[in-house]
Amino acid sequence: MRSTLAVARSGLSAVLLHPLRSAAIVACAAAVLVPFVAGTAVSEGLGDQAADAARFGADLVVTGERFGLPAPLPGSAIETVRRVPGVLSVRPRIVGTVPLGAAAEPAVLVGVEAGAFPGGVRLLEGRLFREGAGNELVVGSRLARRLGLAPGARLPPFYRNRGGERVSEVVGVFRSDLPMWEANLVLCSLETARAVFDERGTATELLVDCREGEEEAVRSAVARLPTLAADPSGEPLRPRVLTRADLRALLAGGAASGQGVFALHFVLLLAAAVPVLVVASGAGLRERRRETGVLKMLGWGTDAVILRALVESLVLAAAGASLSILLAALWLGPLGARGLAAVLLPGADADPGFAVPWRLAPGPAAAGAALSLALILVGTIPASARAASAEPLEAMR
Amino acid sequence: MTALLEARGVGRRFHAGTAAEVRALDDVTLEVPRGSFLIVTGPSGSGKTTLLALLGTLERPTEGSVLFDGADAARLSEASLSGARRRMGFSFPGGPMIPRLPLWENVTLGLVPRGEGVAARREIARGLLARLGLEGRLRSPAEELSTGEVQRAALARALAGRPEVLLLDEPIANLDDGSRGLVLEALDGFRRGGGTVVAASHDPSAFPGTEAACRLEAGRRVS
């Protein structure tokens, strides 16, 4: 035991014995691992946001469909759902995409009641739209920057309805720390949204809150409704109900999830990185062989030589993983994920203009450390093992 | 006296079977009795270093066999070979040392797998280096030493493991008179403790009190 500890301790000093080689190996490992750690941290952050959205959002989201496709809900559907036992409140919402600006920048237009303004949204400038006021828009900071919008700015007509065209006014700009996708939103009253999409008295979805413990009963009752609203043509408007549990199920991880796919791509990157590390660690191969020859001449067994190299690799791997976590945290925090957001988040710029969500979870950090170790072991152990199995004089030559 | 080391018809060829084949050693037989001092002499390229390496189990002979304490080195397991090497002390020109490692660590590197603690190792190195006039170089990296200092440090390292036999290649070449005296004194002390020495040298007269000599020429033993 004492001899094992003594050999292991010599592995620690071997790290400092070759500072340049050690630094090159740690730098190589960090270069490969930083994108992995940062990417998984962003995935975790997005997952957290989605989970929060599911937790703090409505108990049920009700939409309608015809021929299996989403269909708008008439105003009468609100009353139909409200009458279901166990329902506390029903809030209509309109969600759709509109092109804005000369470059037809895609924006998500959300029409809500003024009292149902999304939580987490922070006004940077201006004010919220007034209840019932038409064509007053509150835009996300990212969109405002891209289109050069500020409170008071007038948007030339970007929609045409049965009443013709209307000029819209930006009354406020909001920045949203959570969730990030709200930075690309345009918020407006239900009336404005109905005018934009030319759908009078309709909503695209209903946010339903239920009495505690009755969510499942309400879900079943709504799902069993033959139609959400009477239709002059007699065609039923079938309800589609999404519960929190359904949303959470959509967030489940695995190889098919965004994070899983990202991890899968990273495995391919790792495979490409192995030769780089082999070259980096092999830069001192001759020196390592000679050293091994000296150790063998002095009576070191192959197992002791390998243990020494293993401890050296462990220390380098720990240093590589720690450096990666530190650099990833710097990248995501103070540097605002510059350059990374555009890769990971569809539609985001290199300088995203919103707080990219991230969380360094222990699982991915541990996976990063394990990958770092695997990479360095692949780079160092075979060379050490080969040198250790050679005859001492041959290794020293 | 029983033979501690024995070479039976050993030969060593490099690039065997090719046009570039070099026969470094050819059919050499010798015995090194326990407690003896054997000098291996001969001109450069005669095979002295190769013979030392074969006797020290640092290389395998291509012909013949080497016996250490009666056991055929070729039949020893990897662990037994390491164990045999721990009972020997080596010094070759240039050490060889690990360049960036402090001298005290270089000198006691062989004690690490024996579980010797850092403080004990430093004390052992301090004593040995002082005996060889290197007390001021304890913490110096080996790469900062002169050729003569490396040579003395290599002897200190060879002695650190309390070996039964020393295998030394030109242990006093490149040394000034003072350093040479220190080395010979250290070897004398080792021998007085019952140690065996095999030294390769161009100048056998520099080693007083040697009992036997083996002269090599072109890889063959001539006397």
Side-chain angles (χ1 to χ4, degrees):
Chain A
M1 186 63 188
R2 274 182 64 191
S3 74
T4 306
L5 284 175
V7 169
R9 201 180 301 125
S10 83
L12 288 175
S13 56
V15 174
L16 301 173
L17 203 56
H18 309 288
L20 206 62
R21 185 177 77 193
S22 299
I25 292 173
V26 168
C28 273
V32 175
L33 286 175
V34 167
F36 171 76
V37 175
T40 49
V42 170
S43 295
E44 292 285 339
L46 290 173
D48 288 352
Q49 279 193 355
D52 284 349
R55 191 163 56 247
F56 298 119
D59 293 333
L60 306 174
V61 177
V62 179
T63 54
E65 57 180 39
R66 278 203 174 99
F67 300 109
L69 296 171
L73 301 164
S76 59
I78 300 172
E79 266 317 299
T80 307
V81 174
R82 196 170 276 151
R83 279 198 298 270
V84 172
V87 169
L88 282 178
S89 69
V90 180
R91 287 168 288 143
R93 190 165 72 175
I94 297 170
V95 181
T97 56
V98 289
L100 286 182
E105 198 74 41
V108 178
L109 189 90
V110 178
V112 290
E113 293 166 341
F117 210 71
V121 167
R122 187 162 50 89
L123 267 180
L124 289 178
E125 299 172 78
R127 59 173 174 81
L128 299 180
F129 53 84
R130 280 190 292 261
E131 184 72 56
N135 298 307
E136 286 190 350
L137 307 177
V138 180
V139 299
S141 53
R142 174 175 178 270
L143 202 61
R145 188 162 48 83
R146 287 173 75 102
L147 299 178
L149 300 174
R154 291 188 175 268
L155 283 174
F158 63 92
Y159 68 90
R160 167 176 281 274
N161 65 16
R162 278 167 280 187
E165 297 174 329
R166 292 285 184 278
V167 172
S168 305
E169 184 187 355
V170 175
V171 295
V173 174
F174 67 86
R175 179 182 171 101
S176 167
D177 292 331
L178 289 172
M180 69 92 192
W181 43 77
E182 287 182 357
N184 212 28
L185 289 186
V186 175
L187 296 169
C188 60
S189 65
L190 277 170
E191 290 73 16
T192 301
R194 282 172 184 146
V196 169
F197 297 113
D198 206 7
E199 294 273 0
R200 287 173 199 158
T202 58
T204 55
E205 57 202 29
L206 303 177
L207 307 178
V208 181
D209 283 317
C210 311
R211 275 198 292 269
E212 196 159 341
E214 296 187 32
E215 293 86 353
E216 189 48 41
V218 173
R219 189 198 68 78
S220 302
V222 173
R224 278 201 308 272
L225 289 171
T227 181
L228 278 169
D231 187 271
S233 65
E235 292 296 333
L237 179 61
R238 297 201 181 280
R240 193 172 172 190
V241 189
L242 210 59
T243 65
R244 271 206 189 92
D246 297 332
L247 284 173
R248 287 199 184 106
L250 290 173
L251 301 176
S257 73
Q259 189 176 342
V261 171
F262 172 73
L264 215 57
H265 287 163
F266 186 77
V267 168
L268 299 176
L269 178 65
L270 265 183
V274 167
V276 176
L277 253 168
V278 169
V279 170
S281 56
L285 198 60
R286 200 171 160 194
E287 206 175 353
R288 188 181 285 274
R289 264 183 77 83
R290 198 174 142 82
E291 230 177 77
T292 303
V294 172
L295 296 178
K296 296 273 286 182
M297 178 182 82
L298 296 174
W300 284 53
T302 303
D303 50 351
V305 173
I306 301 280
L307 175 63
R308 184 176 187 262
L310 196 64
V311 171
E312 185 187 353
S313 299
L314 276 170
V315 174
L316 292 175
S322 307
L323 182 67
S324 306
I325 290 168
L326 186 72
L327 291 178
L330 277 174
W331 195 3
L332 296 170
L335 297 178
R338 237 169 248 267
L340 182 68
V343 177
L344 291 176
L345 309 172
D349 297 333
D351 183 6
F354 55 85
V356 173
W358 61 280
R359 178 167 63 88
L360 283 170
L371 287 169
S372 172
L373 178 62
L375 270 176
I376 290 171
L377 285 181
V378 166
T380 55
I381 293 297
S384 297
R386 271 198 305 277
S389 58
E391 288 180 353
L393 203 67
E394 188 193 327
M396 280 190 285
R397 278 197 185 106
Chain B
M1 278 196 287
T2 55
L4 180 62
L5 279 169
E6 199 176 342
R8 290 182 183 166
V10 295
R12 180 74 172 101
R13 281 179 290 166
F14 295 97
H15 312 296
T18 69
E21 179 176 302
V22 176
R23 194 174 282 267
L25 213 59
D26 189 16
D27 194 23
V28 173
T29 295
L30 63 83
E31 279 190 8
V32 184
R34 199 179 286 274
S36 65
F37 194 144
L38 174 74
I39 290 286
V40 181
T41 65
S44 294
S46 59
K48 301 188 295 294
T49 302
T50 304
L51 180 61
L52 285 184
L54 294 180
L55 289 173
T57 71
L58 301 179
E59 263 191 326
R60 287 177 195 277
T62 40
E63 292 100 26
S65 54
V66 169
L67 280 74
F68 176 69
D69 206 8
D72 186 346
R75 294 173 189 275
L76 292 177
S77 65
E78 213 277 328
S80 303
L81 265 182
S82 300
R85 288 182 199 126
R86 283 199 285 271
R87 293 166 63 189
M88 305 178 190
F90 301 93
S91 163
F92 290 96
M97 297 277 169
I98 297 180
R100 293 191 191 93
L101 204 61
L103 191 56
W104 75 266
E105 284 197 67
N106 257 303
V107 165
T108 57
L109 206 50
L111 304 182
V112 172
R114 303 183 198 187
E116 205 73 67
V118 171
R121 283 173 53 206
R122 200 178 279 131
E123 269 318 297
I124 290 169
R126 197 190 302 278
L128 286 167
L129 291 172
R131 271 172 67 190
L132 290 158
L134 292 169
E135 57 272 38
R137 294 298 222 167
L138 199 67
R139 292 173 193 279
S140 304
E143 63 190 355
E144 290 180 6
L145 303 184
S146 69
T147 310
E149 285 174 325
V150 168
Q151 211 152 342
R152 282 180 281 154
L155 179 62
R157 185 179 63 187
L159 290 166
R162 297 181 186 280
E164 292 170 41
V165 57
L166 289 175
L167 295 151
L168 313 172
D169 192 2
E170 301 290 358
I172 54 172
N174 306 314
L175 294 182
D176 57 53
D177 288 345
S179 300
R180 187 177 293 203
L182 290 173
V183 168
L184 291 175
E185 204 174 296
L187 291 181
D188 195 42
F190 176 71
R191 286 205 61 213
R192 278 201 306 273
T196 308
V197 180
V198 182
S201 175
H202 287 99
D203 181 14
S205 62
F207 296 92
T210 54
E211 288 105 7
C214 158
R215 183 166 176 80
L216 298 177
E217 277 179 20
R220 297 187 71 89
R221 186 173 184 184
V222 293
S223 68

